[in-house]
Amino acid sequence: MIKKLTYTSLLWMVFSWVVLAQTESDTLFRTVSKRLHEFQYNAPREKVYVHQDRTQYVAGETMWFKAYQSSSPDFPVESGVVYVELIDGMNQAVAETKWKLENGSAAGHIELPDTLTSGLYQLRAYTGWMQNFDAEGFFTRELTIASRYAASQENPTNAAEAGKALAEDLPLEEMPERKVELAFFPEGGNLVAGLPSKIAFKVTDRAGKGIEASGVVCDQDGNEVRRFETQHRGMGSFALEPEIGKQYIARLDGMKVQVALPEIYAQGLVMSLGYRDDRLRITLRHNLDAVRTQTPFHLTIHQEGIPWFNAHVNMQERTTVFDIPKEKLPVGLFVITLYDDNLHAYAERLAFVNHPEQLEIHAKADQAVYASRQKVTVEIDVPELYDAPQTGDFSVAVVKANLEDADTQNNLFTDYFLTSELRGRIEQPTYYFNANDTLVAQHLDLLLQTHGWRRYVWDNVVSGKTPEISFPVEQQLSFAGKIYPRSKNQKMEEVEITASFRQDAVSDFLSFHPDKEGLFQFVYDDFCDTAEVILSAQDQRKRILDISLIERQKTPHNYFSYAEEDADDESQEVYVELLGTIPQGNLVDIDQTVHELPEISVTVKRKQYPHKDKVHDENLALHTYEVRREASYGSSAGALSILWYIPKKLVRDLGNYFMKGGSGDNIYFLLDGVRTSAANIKTIPPHFIDHVELLSFTTAMRYTSQYAMGETTFYPIAFWTRDRLSYSEPVKSVTYQFPGFSQIKEFYAPDYATVNDVRKADFRNTLYWQPHVTINADGKAEFSFFTSDDKGEYLIHYEGRSDNGEIGVTSSFIHIQ
């Protein structure tokens, strides 16, 4: 028997903690509402999005961007500092910048070194407060950077042609095998025996991109149960009613991929969603025994700490259906949770029913077609929304149309309402905002099932457990430290800390007190580049106390461009296709340019890695690799994972040996000068290692006489651990190089109405960048720029938000002939 409840028979609550239910369990809904609120209040979430001039660059260019910061209006976070980093394909930071957030935004740039190799890079942005949570919440975007000269300086070519030539030179046996992952996601969370379930799945490559595929599900006896195939960007779903005692295996056609389906529970609940024209249907099924059905279960729909709907579920019925009108549901993503009287969740599901309204932006250039070096004037008009003028601040870029795809690229609107709320790589997020397309709605639901919920865990919310807060909201430039008392009875609040601040011609002297634990935070007004701060502390008797600084830990980045990882040691450059021409200026007669340098004498001093157990000289190491604290080397193989990222073919062969299941029993390892096994190295976290050395046979014999020549085909590998203290060593005074904000730079665009030197070619890829286009009280703005010598189509893309927080995104085109 199916019991169907319409909206009029359900208990309803919107934006309030006062629950309208009239049963004894009203108290339970009040408790849930209170804990949702407390969790968001104690750990409010912050988002950062970055609008760039484009996503394809040439090494040596400047990347222009504007960072937008946002948080829930009910639980605001107001950070004043944003970090923007560029990471290469081997997970090494190429650029690390820091910018001041004012009114929720910051304009900045990154100078791309002309020494960068061609390949994929990742842009990452976050605030200090965001480091308290999962790094999945950081803003990331994959970029393409091509070498400035793909072949040679005499003959610049398209990077794609160079890539083809490089691929032709690679032996077939060295081409990497394609790795595919298959993952399953039962709707609502679990598979329960005897209950029909919808199982979503996704097939991806190791970069997280969806792959079209098909396959078959078989039971443990090899009997085919059903076939399946992807429906959109590697995602799909199929229905299955699992049987108790059976195990199911999925295999992909034409690939060596075999994955077991998730565990099947003997008893439980299954939740499924259905979308009707004007309502959301929630169907609940269970097979729980009589003891567990004596009391009702409970359903809550919630979004960002606010419950929108509460209802009790009569567990005497095996199937219950709720039909909820769409106009009674929130805009954007929300969560549906089913739980018992003890607040234990049995099923949970993401849903996206009502699409948000986007701020309308009308942008029109004074012409459609322009000549070279002609002035372009663009007028912007933002109509009223909700009968109110929409003043605001927008960022605008004009770039070559084949260097950016505004129709598919993640933007401020799609990031705020979708991408920032989900896990993993979301391909072409703009596709999911076609609200009137039924097929798109189905694909959006697949996306929600396969990319999970990352904002919080229900059990943590209802238990009152909030994430550990290690990073305060950073509203100004600051650093922290600690003062050490001379005795246990010393009152630290009476200690005086003096600080001398010096930068160029600026000098300042400050004094302040630590807290009762001796901890202090030094805060200073805005400055750029680096300042010197000298700190000391003394008690009331003028005795100098020890002081140390607390190292600011940074969340490790975790980005790898697999094409670069698989490149062999002989050719580290991996060329990628850059849509557009490579030249950035006049390259004629470049070889005739002579640069005269004065004669200088350079002394190169090798970096020293002191360790108490080291007895050999640094110069005797064949190769030394310094382990980066902020890097992520993976954890499955412990410190052995480091070998995979050492740019020496001999060592990487050793990494491949372990990846293929090698035991390493015959490999010669040293740990702090003592011979050890591969199994022991695996138990050590990578960040405990300071550096790794490739040693000669004779150098290794300094540490043990048990080494036999020819024992292994690999050279000895020495791992040296680092000091794991979080504090610097206590001293009487500290001189600290205090990093400030990155230096601001303005975008330069030529004014050909004033100066027009035809002898200088103009092949700019970005014609115009303005991070602050202000929409006035009439909803209008205007800007102008000049075209270049490069003919073709150009994209003008606009992103921003009104002063009321409404987000707008649009684009238009002009043509140069």
Side-chain angles (χ1 to χ4, degrees), residues 111 113 115 140 142 271 303 357 486 524 548 648 667 730 788:
E111 303 282 356
T115 56
T140 60
E142 196 167 66
M271 176 193 299
Q303 181 189 66
E357 186 172 358
R486 295 177 65 93
Y524 199 79
S548 72
K648 283 288 182 180
I667 309 300
S788 68

Side-chain angles (χ1 to χ4, degrees), residues 788-803:
S788 68
D789 296 330
D790 208 353
K791 296 175 173 52
E793 193 170 44
Y794 284 77
L795 168 70
I796 310 176
H797 54 106
Y798 318 75
E799 297 187 25
R801 59 192 175 199
S802 70
D803 294 334

Side-chain angles (χ1 to χ4, degrees), residues 472-514:
V473 175
E474 196 175 10
Q475 296 180 327
Q476 292 176 282
L477 296 171
S478 63
F479 64 87
K482 183 175 182 179
I483 308 299
Y484 296 85
R486 295 177 65 93
S487 65
K488 294 182 179 180
N489 298 325
Q490 190 161 36
K491 295 182 178 179
M492 299 306 295
E493 302 95 316
E494 298 176 353
V495 170
E496 183 180 32
I497 304 173
T498 58
S500 172
F501 177 94
R502 292 182 294 186
Q503 188 197 39
D504 299 330
V506 177
S507 181
D508 203 353
F509 187 83
L510 305 94
S511 65
F512 51 95
H513 302 279

Side-chain angles (χ1 to χ4, degrees), residues 105-149:
S105 67
H109 69 280
I110 292 178
E111 303 282 356
L112 300 177
D114 57 10
T115 56
L116 293 180
T117 58
S118 292
L120 298 176
Y121 291 72
Q122 185 189 72
L123 188 73
R124 184 173 87 151
Y126 58 93
T127 66
W129 177 257
M130 291 169 66
Q131 292 188 88
N132 292 304
F133 312 100
D134 191 345
E136 280 271 357
F138 292 6
F139 171 83
T140 60
R141 175 180 286 140
E142 196 167 66
L143 312 177
T144 301
I145 298 179
S147 293
R148 194 175 183 85
Y149 308 109

Side-chain angles (χ1 to χ4, degrees), residues 536-675:
S536 63
Q538 59 183 7
D539 60 17
Q540 287 182 312
R541 297 171 61 183
K542 305 301 181 183
R543 295 177 299 182
I544 303 298
L545 304 181
D546 285 344
I547 184 173
S548 72
L549 299 184
I550 301 175
E551 297 180 11
R552 182 179 180 85
Q553 300 296 322
K554 191 172 69 171
T555 304
H557 32 76
N558 186 23
Y559 175 74
F560 296 94
S561 169
Y562 292 97
E564 288 193 57
E565 279 189 35
D566 293 327
D568 79 331
D569 210 45
E570 298 277 325
S571 57
Q572 288 296 316
E573 290 190 350
V574 177
Y575 292 96
V576 294
E577 181 177 4
L578 175 65
L579 302 176
T581 53
I582 295 297
Q584 291 293 124
N586 193 349
L587 303 179
V588 178
D589 298 328
I590 192 168
D591 287 335
Q592 278 66 50
T593 304
V594 178
H595 300 278
E596 294 186 0
L597 299 176
E599 183 176 348
I600 57 175
S601 175
V602 179
T603 301
V604 179
K605 185 176 181 181
R606 185 175 181 137
K607 182 172 179 178
Q608 299 296 307
Y609 298 92
H611 196 284
K612 62 183 179 64
D613 297 313
K614 183 175 287 189
V615 297
H616 71 272
D617 187 86
E618 303 289 340
N619 295 307
L620 294 179
L622 301 179
H623 180 76
T624 301
Y625 176 79
E626 183 176 0
V627 178
R628 297 172 63 90
R629 281 182 183 267
E630 70 275 12
S632 176
Y633 294 92
S635 59
S636 60
L640 283 180
S641 303
I642 298 170
L643 300 179
W644 246 77
Y645 307 105
I646 297 178
K648 283 288 182 180
K649 190 174 188 301
L650 188 67
V651 182
R652 295 186 67 180
D653 284 345
L654 181 57
N656 289 329
Y657 167 81
F658 285 109
M659 291 296 290
K660 294 177 181 178
S663 65
D665 292 338
N666 64 330
I667 309 300
Y668 192 90
F669 287 111
L670 289 172
L671 179 62
D672 291 343
V674 178
R675 184 166 186 182

